[in-house]
Amino acid sequence: TATAVDNKFLTSPWGEIQVGQEALTDFVFSDVESWADAPSVTCGASGRSYDYGMMRMMIERCACALAGPLKLGPGERLGLILPNIPEFVVLIHGAMRAGLVVTFANPLYTADEVTRQFKDCNVKAIATIELFMPVAKEVAKNLKDYKGTIWVGGEDDKGQGIFGLKSLLMADHQADLPTVNPDEVCLIPYSSGTTGMPKGVMLTHKNLVSNLKQTQCPKMMKYEGEKGKGDVLLTVPPFFHIYGFNGILNYNLKLGYHVVTMPRFTPEDYIKCLVEYQPTTLFVVPSLLAFLATHPSVKKEHLQWVETIMVGAAPTTDSMLEKFLLKCEKTKDQIKLLQGYGMTESSPVTLMTPYTYPYSKVGSVGQLVPSTQARVVSLTTGEMLGPHKSGELWLRGPQVMKGYWNNEAATKETVDSDGWLHTGDVAYYDEDFYFYIVDRTKELIKVKGNQVSPTELENIIMELPAVADVAVVGVPDPLAGEVPKAFVVLKPKQKLTEKDITDLVAKKLTRYKHLDGGVVFLESIPRNAAGKIMRNELKVLGMKR
Ligand code: AYL
């Protein structure tokens, strides 16, 4: 069981794992010989599919092509602008196999958003599909020592520095691939953390492999002994987010599952995939759970094969979980409703419901995964709190990031000298060491599981000469969880409409960051003595309007 060590911190009730020493790609595909002929990843929209043996070979060839014709050396950065397609897996694991560092962007980001991220972490080559070539070109113009663009589904155009993925793979280039050191960084996803603009999160092979071992602990989960049995996963959360990449893709590939995914979500396509692939497992975010539970076109027959459903990345409610069970006409003994909690900064999972958790714990985000420790710290006194008392959640374990890229100050603020990750989430645990997330102290806004940094919106709104001050907060939304809302103070005698502001944000940022909560004009922004925006006051004000 969990123990409270000297009343200073809690340990996991599930013991310890051996910290990951393998390279991520080797670890994920270590059992591939056992199911080489089974499908690995299928595009639910086009039906394009590769079996495990083929996937492994394409990854190896991709690694050689990146090291060969693309001339990318160990430690150099590849940027992905890709939706969920099978080739995403070829490229990301090919790059990691070649010792490269990957950063991925939402393909629906504007060129401004991608440029900021790719410039920040020195991207040297970009991989994308035809639809996003214009964005890739625009971004590439701003990158130093750029080595080329990999065009998935397209042809070579060497004069333009474009390499078709297919011809790279067909050529079967040979290259000496490096031996990967587990402490090397292999992935830099972006997260705004507790405050400020999105920052690069440095994750190592050890971080990511450890987290896979932690979440597949045989005692905590059912999976041991059930691998390679033809289970099918249908999933839409993006692979360009840590939940999609490590928590879903790598997690299920490691088990030999058939991963079915879609480049774009529509209710019709999703239901079509349910019927066609008969998934046994669904990994979702709360907004997708709400779709399954409440959308009239989703029928119980569509869900008849589902045995396990994992919900993560944002808060869900007990009543939504109940509605989902009602839709399936199943009890909690017939279908496993799992919840997970984590952060980009922790690879991502730190808390998860064990496979056999009692009904009374529905609504909990679960228990500490193995080799993970927690503190719940009083917001007023800084002391470690006992059961049923809410405070800031701190976490420690081998999955905690190496730090923020090129940002020592933010790293120090987030991971203290004892290795505790200060999550900025408010939580409590019960007498059985199940955790419940109740609030957030950090600025982060979560729209359908996506991160929105208030600072990013505030900086854009401040560009308007008429604006004297601004604050952006999240307000509750039944569909998205939260949506951003802006509070704006105008300079004397200046005029602006709500539309002037929402249009500017819409032009610069991707859809889910738009001001769907609207704009409110104020005389002044409430700030504390230190000048910090009092966001909670604004949230209350935002809900009243
Ligand atoms: P990021 N309940 C409530 N809030 C959550 C939950 C949850 N289950 N999971 C994540 N959050 C919030 O970096 C919380 O505020 O990672 C946290 O600090 O985009 C923030 O989201 C982190 O946002 C899984 C599946 C973890 C997903 C994830 C989370 C990845 C999101 C474990 O099994």
Side-chain angles (χ1 to χ4, degrees):
T1 62
T3 42
V5 179
D6 299 337
N7 284 330
K8 289 212 172 81
F9 59 87
L10 304 176
T11 60
S12 167
W14 301 98
E16 305 275 317
I17 49 121
Q18 254 194 328
V19 170
Q21 293 301 331
E22 303 86 345
L24 180 66
T25 305
D26 292 344
F27 181 77
V28 168
F29 292 99
S30 60
D31 296 326
V32 75
E33 301 314 330
S34 316
W35 40 70
D37 297 333
S40 63
V41 185
T42 295
C43 170
S46 67
R48 198 166 69 264
S49 182
Y50 304 108
D51 67 34
Y52 271 90
M54 182 72 172
M55 181 59 84
R56 190 73 187 89
M57 190 191 83
M58 288 165 78
I59 287 168
E60 212 59 26
R61 286 193 178 192
C62 180
C64 290
L66 293 169
L70 265 294
K71 299 194 179 67
L72 291 162
E76 290 197 303
R77 281 85 198 269
L78 173 70
L80 304 184
I81 309 177
L82 290 172
N84 283 16
I85 51 174
E87 292 74 15
F88 187 107
V89 187
V90 175
L91 279 154
I92 196 164
H93 277 294
M96 288 182 178
R97 177 70 186 86
L100 307 186
V101 179
V102 176
T103 191
F104 38 47
N106 187 331
L108 299 180
Y109 270 5
T110 64
D112 282 358
E113 288 170 291
V114 183
T115 300
R116 189 190 159 268
Q117 177 179 333
F118 283 13
K119 247 174 105 166
D120 181 67
C121 69
N122 299 333
V123 163
K124 291 275 159 38
I126 294 176
T128 193
I129 57 173
E130 182 167 18
L131 193 56
F132 307 114
M133 278 301 254
V135 174
K137 275 194 190 142
E138 184 66 34
V139 175
K141 275 195 248 159
N142 296 296
L143 300 175
K144 260 196 253 149
D145 309 321
Y146 191 66
K147 296 188 175 175
T149 304
I150 301 161
W151 184 3
V152 180
E155 304 288 328
D156 287 343
D157 184 350
K158 292 281 161 57
Q160 297 280 325
I162 292 170
F163 300 77
L165 178 65
K166 193 165 168 199
S167 74
L168 282 176
L169 298 179
M170 295 290 276
D172 195 11
H173 298 281
Q174 303 297 317
D176 280 332
L177 298 176
T179 313
V180 170
N181 166 352
D183 287 310
E184 277 166 19
V185 174
C186 61
L187 184 67
I188 309 191
Y190 275 67
S191 164
S192 62
T194 48
T195 180
M197 290 290 282
K199 295 169 275 291
V201 176
M202 293 190 288
L203 298 177
T204 64
H205 292 270
K206 184 185 281 176
N207 290 149
L208 295 163
V209 172
S210 294
N211 204 230
L212 291 170
K213 292 187 173 190
Q214 291 170 313
T215 49
Q216 294 186 356
C217 160
K219 282 180 288 176
M220 191 171 186
M221 304 306 292
K222 67 161 182 173
Y223 298 109
E224 201 67 10
E226 292 211 358
K227 296 179 188 176
K229 271 199 183 163
D231 275 281
V232 180
L233 164 82
L234 175 62
T235 189
V236 281
F239 296 160
F240 51 82
H241 181 268
I242 193 67
Y243 176 35
F245 177 60
N246 210 40
I248 303 179
L249 179 65
N250 291 336
Y251 183 94
N252 287 280
L253 290 175
K254 174 73 185 164
L255 297 169
Y257 283 20
H258 178 191
V259 177
V260 180
T261 189
M262 305 155 67
R264 202 173 74 96
F265 173 83
T266 67
E268 302 75 44
D269 289 348
Y270 192 86
I271 293 168
K272 210 181 89 210
C273 284
L274 284 172
V275 176
E276 188 168 343
Y277 295 99
Q278 310 188 347
T280 52
T281 306
L282 304 177
F283 275 50
V284 301
V285 294
S287 49
L288 190 60
L289 179 75
F291 159 74
L292 292 171
T294 62
H295 199 284
S297 349
V298 180
K299 309 282 183 228
K300 83 164 196 224
E301 292 75 34
H302 298 145
L303 297 165
Q304 62 181 294
W305 305 279
V306 177
E307 293 164 6
T308 307
I309 177 158
M310 163 69 90
V311 191
T316 187
T317 59
D318 302 5
S319 81
M320 197 52 82
L321 292 165
E322 298 284 350
K323 274 189 196 148
F324 175 75
L325 288 175
L326 272 175
K327 173 69 78 81
C328 305
E329 290 182 27
K330 284 191 182 163
T331 66
K332 236 206 90 234
D333 300 322
Q334 295 165 314
I335 193 162
K336 290 301 157 199
L337 273 178
L338 303 175
Q339 276 208 76
Y341 159 89
M343 288 168 70
T344 308
E345 288 81 349
S346 58
S347 306
V349 186
T350 48
L351 294 163
M352 198 167 63
T353 48
Y355 181 59
T356 50
Y357 72 104
Y359 197 67
S360 59
K361 307 292 187 193
V362 167
S364 163
V365 292
Q367 297 184 311
L368 288 166
V369 296
S371 296
T372 304
Q373 302 169 344
R375 307 188 70 199
V376 173
V377 179
S378 163
L379 298 177
T380 47
T381 67
E383 279 170 332
M384 162 81 179
L385 298 172
H388 293 285
K389 296 207 172 95
S390 295
E392 190 187 7
L393 178 61
W394 293 8
L395 294 156
R396 185 161 72 179
Q399 71 273 53
V400 173
M401 66 169 176
K402 193 165 176 174
Y404 290 115
W405 162 247
N406 221 353
N407 196 334
E408 217 171 299
T411 304
K412 278 196 178 143
E413 255 174 52
T414 310
V415 185
D416 68 24
S417 55
D418 292 321
W420 291 106
L421 172 66
H422 297 210
T423 66
D425 288 310
V426 181
Y428 70 90
Y429 57 94
D430 67 16
E431 54 291 343
D432 302 313
F433 303 100
Y434 279 77
F435 283 75
Y436 301 80
I437 307 292
V438 292
D439 199 5
R440 227 179 263 146
T441 56
K442 58 184 164 191
E443 300 169 356
L444 174 68
I445 304 169
K446 274 253 151 157
V447 182
K448 295 190 175 177
N450 296 300
Q451 285 204 5
V452 179
S453 149
T455 309
E456 188 172 18
L457 274 79
E458 286 160 8
N459 288 346
I460 286 172
I461 297 168
M462 277 307 283
E463 285 171 17
L464 289 164
V467 173
D469 200 2
V470 59
V472 172
V473 301
V475 291
D477 179 85
L479 282 178
E482 285 180 291
V483 290
K485 183 180 190 98
F487 295 87
V488 176
V489 181
L490 295 178
K491 289 182 186 157
K493 297 197 188 118
Q494 297 289 325
K495 268 198 190 132
L496 272 184
T497 64
E498 170 161 8
K499 189 162 177 300
D500 294 333
I501 294 166
T502 52
D503 282 356
L504 177 70
V505 170
K507 196 178 94 201
K508 297 237 169 175
L509 300 176
T510 193
R511 180 68 192 90
Y512 68 81
K513 299 181 186 175
H514 294 184
L515 287 166
D516 287 351
V519 178
V520 170
F521 293 95
L522 293 179
E523 297 284 301
S524 65
I525 301 289
R527 290 176 184 273
N528 68 12
K532 247 188 101 184
I533 297 167
M534 293 161 83
R535 292 180 191 274
N536 279 343
E537 278 194 20
L538 290 172
K539 279 190 181 183
V540 173
L541 195 63
M543 273 184 281
K544 281 193 198 136
R545 305 228 174 192

